[in-house]
Amino acid sequence: MRLSGKHIILGLTGSIAAYKAAYLLRGLIKEGADVQVVMTPAAKEFITPVTMSVLSGKPVASDFFSLSDGSWHSHVDMGQWADLMLIAPATAATMGKMAHGVCDNLLITTYLSAKCPVMIAPSMDLDMFQHPANRANLEILRSFGNLIIEPGEGVLASGLHGKGRMEEPENIVEEVIQFFNQKKKLLNKHFLVTAGPTYEKIDPVRFIGNYSSGKMGYAIANELADSGARVTIVSGPVHIRTVNPEISIIPVQSAGEMLEQCLQIFSHTDGAVMCAAVADFTPESVSEIKVKRGNDNLNIQLKPTNDIAEALGKMKTKNQLLIGFALETNDELNNAFHKLQRKSLDFIVLNSMNDPGAGFEVDTNKITIIDKDNNPTFFELKSKSKVATDIVARIISEMEQKACQ
Ligand code: CTP
């Protein structure tokens, strides 16, 4: 099943091709997709919500709230849930509304809320399809990054012959599968990711640690795995579980253990993403017994830990990629760029502690990616999983550049 685990919103609009949406839905379900159908009021004139809800196994969303019990259909939740929004068939009217943000039904509000890619399969008569208004709307939708599944040529419902028929359901299913496969740009690649904090032991019951939750590192590992890579996370102590079969986890406690594991693994990989908040200092000696309370101050002598990223930077071959993070409080861009140089990184992801919503223990992050030529790319505040998507997109483009060199 080539779509298993994929969440797809199937949007239906008022076109005669809506009858084919039942076959399309069956095709998606057969491939393992989890499909939520959203219908415009006009779509219901062509195919019943009952058909679509029976085939999808869940109620169809069509109105902003249910007339029977007043419960609200959250277009925002649907938009966040989906990996793909597929609008098939898409009428000229719906495409016009999408292009201009005219939110007069649940399908359009869902479209505007959706963070996922959008595929559109237009369906209309040939003259409507060719009309400059429709062509202009298609261009606007393309400029938003929406993918258009070109309609086919043939006999249309009007009896005329030409371009405007919605692509056949089985071909749309194949396009959807191909779309998800294209995401597999890191197939046969292996990445090392460091994540979480390190704990530096003081005595059998105490340690020096930090607030890192590991969420950013695990989100990057998930995104790398979704792109087809095998991932090894060398992870400090965190409370995150992952069940992705492409991800293996090597748990460690201290900076020293993390270094040891990374040195063993790195040369077998295509690259490493250094996400861990590694302690910079560790106690010079660890007490074998619990340190007892006394009346005097307790002084713990600390020594610097080894810089893991810097060590990997020295080992790095020209085909390997090394990415680091920088958490800064002041002179952020300069400090981050110097870190990139010192550690021989291909790019560095800067987090500023001055940005609200960025940093430890939160689910959001705001990053700037700085490359080897000191060019910064600024990103908005996003969820850590969306930030991971941006970082992995950059990794893919760097890998492609390396392959061309
Ligand atoms: N890093 C590492 N090993 C260390 C310290 C840091 O691998 N011992 C990595 C981090 O995972 C991160 C990058 O180096 O990718 C920068 O970490 P950061 O703590 O911001 O910088 P430091 O080099 O420790 O410098 P400072 O704390 O002085 O800002």
Side-chain angles (χ1 to χ4, degrees), residues 28 36 88 94 102 104 133 145 154 163 165-166 262 305 307 339 357:
L28 295 170
Q36 171 64 59
T94 289
V102 182
D104 65 351
K163 186 167 177 176
R165 284 169 70 97
M166 184 179 87
C262 289
T305 57
D307 190 318
K339 268 180 201 171

Side-chain angles (χ1 to χ4, degrees), residues 333-367:
L333 290 169
N334 267 330
N335 282 337
F337 184 61
H338 288 133
K339 268 180 201 171
L340 173 149
Q341 290 183 310
R342 182 156 46 88
K343 304 184 190 217
S344 313
L345 304 173
D346 290 272
F347 67 81
I348 191 156
V349 181
L350 164 67
N351 300 131
S352 168
M353 284 303 271
N354 297 320
D355 285 324
F360 291 141
E361 285 188 323
V362 287
D363 289 328
T364 52
N365 202 354
K366 186 169 187 316
I367 61 160

